[in-house]
């Protein structure tokens, strides 16, 4: 059974080294090696109608249904396939992750277990990895119990107790006992495959359930928050601590829009929001690893400009090109590799480095507390925020053909100076506190003078930039960032203006003004969550809860969201799963939930 049309009903698996997306019929249709920004050996998701290559699928003869679920509090996926004769199998998908020999075992490996659960199921295995971004099929050699695939310069080995000949030929056969598939490093599988894979499954389950047990979830919407938290953790490349914006590339923001971007990189902005959300749940392991990544980024910059994004390994050059061999999601190319936004200047990144790093000075739970040396390094970032707060940039929406002094960027530069003042006071450095306090005050005054639009039609508000009075949804963040209290008349009037201009029913545009690709066609999900946040903070709690419930109704069956939503149909578009959107679920749930004290 193959899908004629790709969709975003996808189920992520992963182990913070590699990740994969499983479709509605248990097909592994997206997965890169040796890490998230690597070559997609499974690329059927973005290969148009070519669903027969770049895929690993189990096809049940006479299949009539597929039902999927995650094992509770884990990213271990169970798919039940049933046939018209009543026969059925269950497929378990996971990437091993557990502590072994004093370190985390997270191999470049995908593990799949097929279990017959009813009747006499007949199954066909379709395993056809590609390499060089869909340009060539992986060549293979095999032995009695393994198949070796050459994917570019890297080899992967499938170890299995299924009939290797049937697997290679894609021939249907009866499944009479559990069968185990481990596609991983090109080395002989050590130990009894059945026993070892089952042990891996149990240890992986235990790891994730213990990790979830440490989360401080809100009373309401616990399942939704837990699923988003697990998935955000899967978006971290543990080796370096980098957090990618999404697991995919080139899922268009709207049909045929060519707004197809590669999001498999670490945006300083997106990562700030991710660690902020996970911090609220107490997931400090993600923060600690990300702070190490940030320290390396700041060190490498040597006091110079910091880019808006880097590779997960910290590489600065992310040359943007197109994969000519892949047709794109539903045939809507281009498929892009790399992201030219690395060449842009986006000055909000300075605040987004300071804000999460500041926590390391205060939070006694951390294994490594920041000290005066870290403060001195962070002051270099603050100096850049001061220098650039009133300079034009591409802004958080990454305009490619124009620059303005964006209010959001300026506010983030203010936040950098404001938080440095707080840290200096904590470290008992009054002269440095006064220094940064003066700079924060000066930036605030500049924003009020340049961004506030006090027009004649009784519609005063902050504008999206110093040069014009148009609006964008980032202005909803003024309260959350503590630039203004939520009951401040300036915030309330700005909220009114933004909602009037950018709200479309139950959705929010990021902006309505035409950009490099024309007018936006879909709602940007994080902006809707920012609206929910602003409504709740400004006293419109019931309205916020209703809108939040509506947004949760757009989740995939896996409990997740992509970047964008079609305003008319509710269909999801954009890269998946999108960290921004998952952050929105976590933050709004925490803000809107009833207190645990109500049930104690």
């Amino acid at each position: 059974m193959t899908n004629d049309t790709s969709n975003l009903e996808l189920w992520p698996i992963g182990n913070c080294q590699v990740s994969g997306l499983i479709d509605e019929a248990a097909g592994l249709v997206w997965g890169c090696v040796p890490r998230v920004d690597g070559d997609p050996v499974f690329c059927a998701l973005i290969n148009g109608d070519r669903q027969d290559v770049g895929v690993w699928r189990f096809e049940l003869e006479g299949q009539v249904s597929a039902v999927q679920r995650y094992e509770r509090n884990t990213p271990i996926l169970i798919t039940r396939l049933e046939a018209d004769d009543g026969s059925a199998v269950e497929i378990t998908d996971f990437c091993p992750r557990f502590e072994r020999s004093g370190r985390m075992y997270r191999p470049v490996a995908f593990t799949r277990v097929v279990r017959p659960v009813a009747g006499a199921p007949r199954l066909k295995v379709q395993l056809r990895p590609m390499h060089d971004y869909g340009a060539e099929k992986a060549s293979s050699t095999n032995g009695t119990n393994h198949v070796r695939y050459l994917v570019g310069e890297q080899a992967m080995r499938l170890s299995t107790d299924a009939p290797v000949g049937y697997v290679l030929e894609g021939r249907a056969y009866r499944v009479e006992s559990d069968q185990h598939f481990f596609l991983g490093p090109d080395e002989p599988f050590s130990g009894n495959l059945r026993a070892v894979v089952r042990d891996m499954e149990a240890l992986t389950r235990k790891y994730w359930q213990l990790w979830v047990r440490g989360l401080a979830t809100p009373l309401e919407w616990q399942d939704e928050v837990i699923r988003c938290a697990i998935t955000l953790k899967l978006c971290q490349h543990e080796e370096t601590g980098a957090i990618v914006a999404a697991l995919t590339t080139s899922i268009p923001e709207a049909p045929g829009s060519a707004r197809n971007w590669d999001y498999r990189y670490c945006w300083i902005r997106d990562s700030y929001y991710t660690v902020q959300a996970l911090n609220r749940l107490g997931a400090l392991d993600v923060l600690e690893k990300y702070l190490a990544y940030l320290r390396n980024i700041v060190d490498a910059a040597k006091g110079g400009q910091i880019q808006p994004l880097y590779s997960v390994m910290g590489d600065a050059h992310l040359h943007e090109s197109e994969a000519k061999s892949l047709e794109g999601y539903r045939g809507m190319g281009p498929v892009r590799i790399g992201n030219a936004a690395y060449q842009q200047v986006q000055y909000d990144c300075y605040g987004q480095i300071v804000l999460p790093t500041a926590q390391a000075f205060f939070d006694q739970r951390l294994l490594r507390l920041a000290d005066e040396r870290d403060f001195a390094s962070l002051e270099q970032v603050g100096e850049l925020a001061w220098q650039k707060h009133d300079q034009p940039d591409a802004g958080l929406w990454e305009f490619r053909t124009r620059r303005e002094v964006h209010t959001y960027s300026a506010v983030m530069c203010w936040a950098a100076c404001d938080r440095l003042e707080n840290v200096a006071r904590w470290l008992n450095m009054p002269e440095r506190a006064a220094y940064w306090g003066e700079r924060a005050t000066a930036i605030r005054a500049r924003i009020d003078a340049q961004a506030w639009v006090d027009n004649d039609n009784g519609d005063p508000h902050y504008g999206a930039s110093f040069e014009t009075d148009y609006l964008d949804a980032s202005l909803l963040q003024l309260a959350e960032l503590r630039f203004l209290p939520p009951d401040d008349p300036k915030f309330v009037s700005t909220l009114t203006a933004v909602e009037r201009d950018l709200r479309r029913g139950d959705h929010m545009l990021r902006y309505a003004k035409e950009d490099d690709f024309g007018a936006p066609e879909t709602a940007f999900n994080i902006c809707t969550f920012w609206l929910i946040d602003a409504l709740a903070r400004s006293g419109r709690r019931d309205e916020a809860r209703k809108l939040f419930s509506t947004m949760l109704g757009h989740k995939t069956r896996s409990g997740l969201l992509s970047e964008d939503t079609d305003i008319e149909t509710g269909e999801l578009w954009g890269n998946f799963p999108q960290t921004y959107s998952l952050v929105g679920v976590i933050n709004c749930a925490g803000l809107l939930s009833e207190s645990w004290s109500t049930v104690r």
Side-chain angles (χ1 to χ4, degrees):
M1 176 180 173
T2 59
N3 292 334
D4 296 328
T5 304
S6 297
N7 62 56
L8 296 185
E9 284 294 345
L10 302 167
W11 300 71
I13 59 172
N15 60 7
C16 304
Q17 174 66 40
V18 291
S19 55
L21 297 177
I22 311 293
D23 72 6
E24 296 175 286
L28 178 56
V29 294
W30 182 255
C32 303
V33 297
R35 55 181 185 260
V36 65
D37 60 354
D39 191 1
V41 296
F42 299 110
C43 55
L45 176 66
I46 56 171
N47 203 17
D49 292 333
R50 293 295 311 277
Q51 299 287 299
D52 58 336
V53 294
V55 68
W56 184 1
R57 190 180 300 282
F58 296 105
E59 299 182 1
L60 184 64
E61 279 193 356
Q63 182 179 323
V64 294
S65 68
V67 179
Q68 293 170 293
R69 62 178 176 86
Y70 281 118
E71 285 199 14
R72 180 175 174 267
N73 293 353
T74 78
I76 300 174
L77 176 64
I78 309 296
T79 305
R80 181 185 176 95
L81 304 179
E82 294 190 0
D84 51 12
D85 63 358
S87 60
V89 297
E90 280 192 348
I91 300 162
T92 302
D93 282 295
F94 68 99
C95 296
R97 178 178 173 83
F98 50 87
E99 190 169 328
R100 187 174 76 175
S101 302
R103 58 190 178 87
M104 192 61 65
Y105 177 66
R106 42 176 173 77
V108 180
F110 302 94
T111 307
R112 316 193 74 179
V113 180
V114 179
R115 297 181 170 97
V117 292
R122 291 182 58 82
L123 198 71
K124 180 166 64 175
V125 182
Q126 185 184 50
L127 176 50
R128 297 171 183 171
M130 306 289 285
H131 69 90
D132 193 17
Y133 280 83
E136 297 181 42
K137 295 180 181 179
S139 59
S140 65
T141 57
N142 66 280
T144 306
N145 297 301
H146 78 272
V147 183
R148 182 177 184 269
Y149 295 96
L150 186 62
V151 287
E153 298 180 357
Q154 181 162 330
M156 298 188 75
R157 178 184 294 239
L158 174 71
S159 299
T160 183
D161 49 14
V164 168
Y166 289 159
V167 173
L168 286 170
E169 295 179 16
R171 184 187 300 270
Y173 63 96
R174 179 180 288 194
V175 181
E176 297 182 330
S177 62
D178 293 0
Q179 297 186 343
H180 305 80
F181 300 80
F182 183 86
L183 180 64
D186 183 28
E187 54 193 39
F189 196 92
S190 178
N192 178 282
L193 180 70
R194 178 188 182 94
V196 171
V197 167
R198 288 189 171 188
D199 191 43
M200 286 181 177
E201 183 181 347
L203 290 171
T204 299
R205 179 185 301 111
K206 181 178 180 180
Y207 167 82
W208 285 106
Q209 290 179 342
L210 288 176
W211 185 81
V212 168
R213 190 176 69 172
L215 298 180
T217 59
L219 172 62
E220 297 180 87
W221 306 293
Q222 289 185 62
D223 290 342
E224 291 86 348
V225 167
I226 288 170
R227 182 53 50 201
C228 289
I230 289 173
T231 308
L232 286 179
K233 184 169 174 63
L234 293 182
C235 289
Q236 182 168 58
H237 184 67
E238 187 166 77
E239 181 180 357
T240 63
I243 301 169
V244 297
L247 299 179
T248 57
T249 178
S250 303
I251 309 297
E253 295 179 15
S257 65
R259 297 176 189 262
N260 299 17
W261 313 117
D262 192 348
Y263 276 8
R264 300 171 300 156
Y265 305 108
C266 183
W267 267 260
I268 302 300
R269 178 188 315 112
D270 300 51
S271 299
Y272 154 68
Y273 282 108
T274 297
V275 296
Q276 177 203 52
L278 290 176
N279 286 349
R280 288 169 173 167
L281 300 178
L284 293 183
D285 57 330
V286 176
L287 170 66
E288 287 183 312
K289 290 179 173 60
Y290 178 63
L291 290 180
Y293 178 81
L294 276 186
R295 287 192 288 269
N296 282 316
I297 293 297
V298 171
D299 287 350
K302 296 181 171 31
Q305 180 177 308
I306 294 173
Q307 295 177 187
L309 70 154
Y310 295 84
S311 82
V312 296
M313 299 303 294
D315 296 328
H317 298 284
L318 304 174
H319 175 71
E320 187 174 298
S321 60
E322 296 181 8
K324 301 298 184 182
S325 299
L326 294 172
E327 297 179 9
Y329 179 78
R330 300 188 186 175
M332 298 175 188
V335 171
R336 291 190 171 95
I337 309 165
N339 199 304
Y342 82 91
Q343 298 174 304
Q344 294 183 355
V345 290
Q346 298 174 26
Y347 297 137
D348 57 314
C349 68
Y350 301 126
Q352 289 142 0
I353 289 176
V354 172
L355 266 62
T357 307
Q359 181 173 341
F361 294 89
F362 301 96
D363 197 332
Q364 294 295 321
R365 297 171 297 171
L366 294 171
L367 294 174
R368 182 193 183 279
L369 280 171
D371 56 22
E372 287 82 355
R373 291 171 299 176
D374 296 302
F375 181 68
S377 177
L378 203 58
E379 283 193 298
Q380 298 179 38
V381 180
E383 290 294 347
L384 289 168
W386 168 251
Q387 294 169 20
K388 303 297 185 182
H389 76 272
D390 59 354
Q391 300 300 304
D393 70 353
L396 80 163
W397 308 123
E398 300 182 344
F399 297 122
R400 294 197 168 199
T401 59
R402 70 172 188 263
R403 292 188 185 182
E404 295 175 339
V405 182
H406 289 95
T407 303
Y408 177 84
S409 296
V411 170
M412 271 296 181
C413 290
W414 165 83
C417 298
D418 177 74
R419 300 328 189 255
L420 283 169
E421 178 189 5
N422 294 344
V423 172
R425 293 191 188 283
W426 181 260
L427 296 174
N428 196 26
M429 302 170 69
E431 291 184 1
R432 301 313 297 165
Y435 177 85
W436 289 111
E438 290 171 3
R439 294 198 159 183
T441 298
I443 295 175
R444 175 186 286 278
R446 188 66 183 272
I447 293 169
D448 283 337
Q450 298 293 318
W452 181 250
V453 180
D454 198 357
N455 50 34
D456 297 330
N457 61 4
D459 181 33
H461 58 79
Y462 283 98
S465 78
F466 287 11
E467 289 87 349
T468 63
D469 63 352
Y470 78 94
L471 296 156
D472 79 13
S474 68
L475 297 167
L476 298 172
Q477 287 280 280
L478 294 176
E480 201 279 334
L481 290 169
R482 304 205 305 267
F483 184 78
L484 292 173
D487 59 352
D488 188 290
K490 285 189 172 183
F491 179 73
V492 174
S493 62
T494 299
L495 168 58
T496 299
V498 170
E499 191 175 6
R500 181 200 61 223
D501 280 17
L502 302 182
R503 184 168 181 174
R504 303 292 186 271
D506 293 325
H507 301 281
M508 283 288 289
L509 301 176
R510 50 189 163 180
Y511 49 83
K513 186 177 180 180
E514 286 195 3
D515 61 16
D516 317 330
F517 293 82
E521 301 173 57
T522 51
F524 206 66
N525 290 329
I526 186 58
C527 296
T528 307
F529 288 118
W530 285 350
L531 173 63
I532 295 167
D533 179 282
L535 293 174
R537 291 177 188 272
S538 59
R540 298 161 63 183
R541 183 180 176 86
D542 290 344
E543 188 178 349
R545 284 179 63 95
K546 182 179 179 181
L547 186 55
F548 183 51
S549 177
T550 299
M551 279 300 294
L552 293 180
H554 294 294
K555 295 187 289 81
T556 62
R557 283 186 280 277
S558 60
L560 305 172
L561 290 164
S562 64
E563 181 184 47
D564 307 273
T565 302
D566 187 292
I567 296 170
E568 300 298 330
T569 67
E571 183 176 7
L572 296 178
W573 289 89
N575 283 302
F576 180 90
Q578 177 74 15
T579 54
Y580 259 160
S581 302
L582 308 187
V583 162
V585 173
I586 292 173
N587 288 345
C588 290
L591 186 63
L592 295 170
S593 174
E594 295 295 333
S595 169
W596 279 96
S597 63
T598 62
V599 296
R600 286 175 178 164

